[in-house]
Amino acid sequence: MNLSFFDQFSTPYLLGIPLILPSLLLPALLLPSPGHRWINNRLSTIQLWFTQLITKQLMTPLNKAGHKWALLLTSLILFLLFINLLGLLPYTFTPTTQLSMNMALAFPLWLATLLTGLRNQPSTSLGHLLPEGTPTPLIPALIMIETTSLFIRPLALGVRLTANLTAGHLLIQLISTATITLLPVMPSISILTTLILLLLTILEVAVAMIQAYVFVLLLSLYLQENI
């Protein structure tokens, strides 16, 4: 059976059962389990320090009303971070390469921030659709443009995460295929492509971390506008 480069993005099945749910639950096993002591081991200490650093970075621009979202946003960034990094391992599946899943994360959270603003400060939230001092003839056009840009936000969140991870996985597969193909023909070129593959893998680790951070950071900025 011939496999295409895009077959790695199809959901794997075992006995007719999709394995996307176990792959989503796997990151929970990497989180520290609660115990009777404050500090269990060095790994738990590092994880707690990293979680505190992320929470502080996300919550600093927000006021006290936005701190209610700290648990949700921190859990989301850890969830995306673990899934993106685990997807770089061999013979694994990355759920965040699926646009449907990313949109299922982006749209409800964006809608929650929007409804929060409309409930708490409707005048300010609606005022974002029309900049102050706009000439009267441009008011209808600007309202349409700002409304369109507002509804594009969840789509941009989902597409950005999907496109970056998909492109990285495709590049890794292309270069690894070229390395294996050139190995018996031109070993020196194959060594060069292996070095490129190693550098690209390191870059993809950084991209996996950055994209998880950017996704949650943009959500926190949308929340900041509405509180």
Side-chain angles (χ1 to χ4, degrees), residues 20-32 50-51 54 58 70-87 93-98 100-106 109 161 165 208-209 211-213 215-216 219:
I20 187 171
L21 183 59
S23 64
L24 293 176
L25 297 177
L26 183 60
L29 301 177
L30 302 177
L31 297 175
F50 185 68
T51 303
I54 292 176
L58 291 175
L71 179 60
L72 176 62
L73 295 179
T74 305
S75 302
L76 179 61
I77 191 173
L78 292 176
F79 174 72
L80 293 176
L81 181 62
F82 285 137
I83 284 184
N84 293 347
L85 292 178
L86 289 174
F93 171 68
T94 311
T96 43
T97 56
Q98 307 295 312
S100 57
M101 175 187 163
N102 295 334
M103 290 302 299
L105 289 174
L109 293 173
L161 183 59
L165 295 179
M209 299 174 67
Q211 289 305 314
Y213 176 72
F215 188 92
V216 180
L219 280 175

Side-chain angles (χ1 to χ4, degrees), residues 31-45:
L31 297 175
S33 57
H36 299 289
R37 295 182 297 176
W38 284 100
I39 298 177
N40 293 325
N41 50 47
R42 290 185 177 89
L43 180 60
S44 299
T45 304

Side-chain angles (χ1 to χ4, degrees), residues 141-224:
L142 279 178
I143 291 178
M144 293 179 61
I145 292 173
E146 292 295 330
T147 304
T148 304
S149 65
L150 179 66
F151 285 101
I152 284 178
R153 285 179 173 181
L155 181 62
L157 281 176
V159 170
R160 180 187 294 107
L161 183 59
T162 304
N164 282 281
L165 295 179
T166 302
H169 283 66
L170 283 176
L171 279 175
I172 289 177
Q173 186 171 1
L174 284 170
I175 296 179
S176 60
T177 303
T179 302
I180 296 174
T181 304
L182 292 174
L183 183 60
V185 182
M186 293 180 287
S188 58
I189 303 298
S190 179
I191 294 175
L192 179 61
T193 55
T194 303
L195 294 176
I196 296 175
L197 180 61
L198 178 61
L199 295 176
L200 181 61
T201 304
I202 297 174
L203 177 63
E204 280 306 306
V205 171
V207 169
M209 299 174 67
I210 291 172
Q211 289 305 314
Y213 176 72
V214 168
F215 188 92
V216 180
L217 178 64
L218 290 176
L219 280 175
S220 66
L221 293 178
Y222 300 157
L223 178 63
Q224 183 181 1

